[in-house]
Amino acid sequence: MDLNSVVYVESVNSNLICCVCQTPFVDPVVIESCGHTFCKNCITQALLTRSTCPVDRSHISSVNEFRPAAKIIVNMVNELLTYCPNKNAGCTYQGQRQLLIYHLKEECMFAKLACRNEECGEMILKKDLSKHMESCKARMVKCENCEAKVQLSTLEGHKFTCPVKNIECPFCHTTRIQSEHTLHLEECPEKPVTCLHVEFGCSWEGRQCDLSDHIVSCSYEPLKGFFSMYKQRNEALEQENQQLRTNIQELNNTVDLLENQVSAMSDWLSNFTDPKGLSSNSEGQHLNSSAHDILLSGNDHIKNEIENLNFSLVDIDAIMTENMRMQEEIQSVKNICHGLRMQMHYLLMEKRGGEPSVGTTGSVVRTGLNGPIGIGRTVPPNANNSKSGHDTSLESNMRPPRSLGPESPRQEKL
Amino acid sequence: MAALPKRIIKETERLIADAVPGISARPHEDNLRYFDVDITGPEQSPFEGGVFKLELFLPEEYPMAPPKVRFLTKIYHPNIDKLGRICLDILKDKWSPALQIRTVLLSIQALLSAPNPDDPLANDVAQHWKDNEPEAIAKAREWTQKYAENLVPPQE
């Protein structure tokens, strides 16, 4: 630094002022011949134009040069109090002139330093340098997209040529890097949105930035509590409904299964007649309970039928008994008729003059002589049921008497 | 133009703050090496009562080279010619970097008090001074009244 330009705190003794530069001596030297003192730099300069002492114009030979000034002079000027050259920038330092170089180099925060980024070239106060390095236009920054190190001043340009594609917002048409795009899509004020109450029927649509204004005036806003309550209820009912549908479906499946089983069972049962159905009923106990119920009901039905059949059997028994009795009566009537025929035959034979051919039968006829009066009932069961009608002509002659009994048609059949 | 040396700044400040009696020097605003100078004619000299305008220019080599000074006001003086050039050794070969604007102007003021016809610049004036000094002084006083008295004296 140029010590000739420093500013001194106090006025300096004129004996310490160089007559050439008019400031306190810097590196003072004395001319041997005349004893005048100058700054070394000043006298060197002066002697270039004129080889005389600037004060007394005495000749200075090239051999008769100058020597360093006395130590006391050097100390006096070195200890002069000076302000820091950066006083105007804000440095408040005051100190001995000889310490000034150290202060400027090491201490002064108002010293100007070149920015460490070569492209920047700015001179920065030392106190501001670290802050400057963070914001220096020429500093290297990392591209958020492609991770490449780019000088900040060229970053904007780089963003357009960045290999990682910039994405344009479809709503506001600004571009940004991938990592910010997703978030921006949510927040973009130009994004078209519907009213928050669209599900309840509000038809408003507009930009996201206008939504809050709309909500204030939305007529659905005051009712949103009511709506949401009913929405919850509706959802609960739908859920329950779904549950019930599932249950019904399960039950239908069960019914189908059972129907199949029952039809199979009924097919199987149809192979059996009723009596066997009874036994099959007992065999079918291994079937499940519902099938068992159906079988039981079938069993009941069969029982009823069996009972009906039993009644019918009783009736048939009664009829058979009646029939038997009728046969007996018919037999007895036949016997009577036979007796009568024999008697008739005998009588006819007698009438022609012939002897009766069958004497043994006469006694029977006699006993049976009274028979027609008793209408056969009194006829003995062992009466001979000999073949009737072997003389049809006789029989047709005898018909009027037969018509007397109610069983005369039967008699013919027999 | 190179930055003004510290010495010129200090000299200018001192010329204004601590002015020499009878001398004023003000730098031009657009060129701090160029000064407008007014020198009052010294008492008991033929130039008494006059105010003489000069121009002073500090060359690039200053203080290793002398300043260039010239009278703008016409003056009848054996060491000052019609163009205002001054015959003064310190402005030539006797220049020393230890001299200043202030000392130069003081020397010029002294020259007005003591014309030196033995080292003339204006030969006819010097001859006049040698031949008939009272007449030359009268003419100098006349020129002073004619050319220098209308000027406002410099502030002291």
Side-chain angles (χ1 to χ4, degrees):
Chain A
M1 72 158 288
D2 180 15
L3 282 178
N4 289 107
S5 61
V6 299
V7 178
Y8 294 84
V9 176
E10 296 155 334
S11 63
V12 181
N13 186 312
S14 60
N15 289 310
L16 297 175
I17 304 247
C18 170
C19 66
V20 175
C21 65
Q22 301 293 326
T23 58
F25 295 122
V26 176
D27 200 5
V29 292
V30 175
I31 295 173
E32 288 279 5
S33 55
C34 64
H36 289 117
T37 308
F38 305 91
C39 303
K40 186 179 182 183
N41 197 34
C42 290
I43 189 62
T44 307
Q45 289 280 319
L47 290 177
L48 288 177
T49 52
R50 203 171 274 109
S51 21
T52 55
C53 169
V55 176
D56 62 7
R57 295 194 184 94
S58 62
H59 183 73
I60 297 170
S61 67
S62 54
V63 287
N64 184 15
E65 286 196 358
F66 36 79
R67 57 173 169 80
K71 203 75 183 166
I72 187 171
I73 303 295
V74 175
N75 288 345
M76 284 175 80
V77 292
N78 279 345
E79 291 171 10
L80 288 170
L81 280 181
T82 65
Y83 292 111
C84 174
N86 300 316
K87 184 179 177 228
N88 289 340
C91 184
T92 57
Y93 172 85
Q94 291 183 15
Q96 292 184 359
R97 196 181 73 177
Q98 61 186 340
L99 302 176
L100 202 54
I101 292 173
Y102 174 81
H103 165 74
L104 284 171
K105 194 177 174 187
E106 303 291 334
E107 299 175 338
C108 184
M109 297 308 285
F110 294 87
K112 283 201 168 182
L113 300 174
C115 174
R116 284 196 284 271
N117 294 317
E118 279 181 25
E119 283 91 347
C120 176
E122 263 189 72
M123 298 296 286
I124 308 296
L125 293 184
K126 192 174 181 181
K127 70 182 178 70
D128 298 332
L129 190 63
S130 58
K131 202 190 292 177
H132 169 81
M133 293 307 288
E134 289 171 11
S135 60
C136 175
K137 284 173 187 167
R139 74 182 193 273
M140 301 300 277
V141 290
K142 198 190 266 186
C143 171
E144 290 174 43
N145 283 347
C146 64
E147 305 277 310
K149 283 223 161 190
V150 184
Q151 198 171 313
L152 180 65
S153 56
T154 63
L155 183 62
E156 279 305 311
H158 170 81
K159 279 187 176 177
F160 288 102
T161 58
C162 178
V164 178
K165 193 185 171 193
N166 282 282
I167 298 181
E168 181 179 317
C169 173
F171 309 126
C172 63
H173 301 290
T174 55
T175 52
R176 55 190 44 72
I177 56 167
Q178 173 76 53
S179 59
E180 290 172 3
H181 183 68
T182 313
L183 183 64
H184 172 80
L185 272 188
E186 292 299 314
E187 293 175 344
C188 180
E190 298 293 325
K191 180 186 176 186
V193 291
T194 55
C195 178
L196 295 179
H197 306 308
V198 65
E199 60 178 324
F200 304 134
C202 181
S203 59
W204 182 87
E205 286 179 356
R207 297 179 304 165
Q208 184 156 266
C209 56
D210 297 331
L211 181 61
S212 56
D213 289 341
H214 164 73
I215 286 295
V216 173
S217 60
C218 180
S219 51
Y220 291 86
E221 177 69 9
L223 298 172
K224 66 177 177 183
F226 175 80
F227 281 134
S228 62
M229 185 178 77
Y230 272 85
K231 188 182 165 193
Q232 282 178 358
R233 281 192 193 177
N234 195 20
E235 282 169 357
L237 285 174
E238 274 180 4
Q239 203 172 346
E240 193 181 340
N241 192 9
Q242 189 61 40
Q243 184 70 39
L244 291 174
R245 279 174 197 271
T246 312
N247 286 350
I248 286 172
Q249 187 61 44
E250 283 174 6
L251 289 174
N252 278 342
N253 290 341
T254 310
V255 167
D256 285 346
L257 180 68
L258 290 177
E259 274 179 357
N260 289 338
Q261 283 180 349
V262 167
S263 63
M265 190 61 69
S266 62
D267 286 347
W268 180 68
L269 282 175
S270 65
N271 294 331
F272 296 88
T273 55
D274 285 349
K276 284 197 173 177
L278 277 172
S279 62
S280 76
N281 186 24
S282 60
E283 286 171 5
Q285 279 176 356
H286 67 278
L287 296 172
N288 62 39
S289 60
S290 48
H292 189 239
D293 286 344
I294 293 166
L295 286 174
L296 275 180
S297 65
N299 192 21
D300 285 344
H301 180 68
I302 292 165
K303 270 184 182 172
N304 287 338
E305 274 188 19
I306 290 170
E307 217 163 299
N308 289 340
L309 288 172
N310 279 339
F311 285 127
S312 303
L313 276 176
V314 171
D315 285 347
I316 290 168
D317 274 349
I319 290 167
M320 293 260 293
T321 312
E322 185 73 19
N323 194 18
M324 195 75 79
R325 207 165 43 231
M326 288 298 218
Q327 279 184 340
E328 284 171 10
E329 260 183 34
I330 290 165
Q331 192 61 45
S332 65
V333 170
K334 264 186 186 171
N335 289 339
I336 290 167
C337 286
H338 183 71
L340 287 175
R341 195 183 297 148
M342 291 301 283
Q343 282 177 350
M344 282 266 269
H345 184 73
Y346 179 72
L347 287 172
L348 285 171
M349 291 296 277
E350 265 184 27
K351 215 183 236 184
R352 284 172 199 165
E355 273 299 309
S357 59
V358 181
T360 53
T361 55
S363 61
V364 175
V365 173
R366 261 177 233 150
T367 54
L369 193 67
N370 299 326
I373 302 159
I375 319 172
R377 286 188 190 267
T378 53
V379 175
N382 54 351
N384 191 6
N385 52 346
S386 61
K387 288 175 187 174
S388 60
H390 37 76
D391 190 353
T392 48
S393 59
L394 264 179
E395 232 174 89
S396 59
N397 292 334
M398 292 300 286
R399 264 180 196 168
R402 274 180 203 160
S403 62
L404 290 171
E407 273 94 18
S408 56
R410 262 182 214 245
Q411 193 180 10
E412 271 193 351
K413 280 183 184 176
L414 287 171
Chain B
M1 187 176 180
L4 210 60
K6 177 96 177 191
R7 168 169 161 163
I8 295 177
I9 296 168
K10 286 189 79 167
E11 280 198 62
T12 307
E13 284 171 355
R14 192 157 168 239
L15 277 172
I16 292 166
D18 183 17
V20 184
I23 296 172
S24 93
R26 296 169 305 277
H28 275 203
E29 282 183 10
D30 56 346
N31 185 356
L32 295 173
R33 288 177 176 267
Y34 191 91
F35 290 76
D36 288 325
V37 180
D38 292 334
I39 294 178
T40 308
E43 289 175 13
Q44 294 167 0
S45 78
F47 311 104
E48 186 179 2
V51 176
F52 298 88
K53 277 194 156 300
L54 298 92
E55 62 176 9
L56 182 147
F57 179 72
L58 302 175
E60 191 65 36
E61 301 79 25
Y62 182 85
M64 297 311 163
K68 300 183 187 304
V69 191
R70 186 173 76 95
F71 270 86
L72 298 173
T73 308
K74 277 178 76 77
I75 184 168
Y76 196 74
H77 192 287
N79 305 109
I80 301 167
D81 69 3
K82 285 189 242 177
L83 298 173
R85 291 179 295 189
I86 304 162
C87 180
L88 189 61
D89 57 356
I90 60 160
L91 292 177
K92 308 266 175 25
D93 57 321
K94 296 294 182 189
W95 170 253
S96 156
L99 296 169
Q100 303 174 31
I101 300 171
R102 168 189 295 267
T103 52
V104 167
L105 295 178
L106 277 168
S107 296
I108 293 170
Q109 197 179 36
L111 189 63
L112 296 183
S113 295
N116 180 12
D118 295 328
D119 183 18
L121 188 64
N123 284 325
D124 52 336
V125 180
Q127 199 58 48
H128 192 195
W129 221 276
K130 280 181 181 174
D131 295 348
N132 190 348
E133 191 175 343
E135 192 183 298
I137 289 172
K139 188 164 186 182
R141 196 169 274 131
E142 185 189 325
W143 277 40
T144 299
Q145 288 171 358
K146 190 175 179 182
Y147 300 112
E149 281 198 347
N150 292 331
L151 297 167
V152 178
Q155 292 176 340
E156 293 185 1

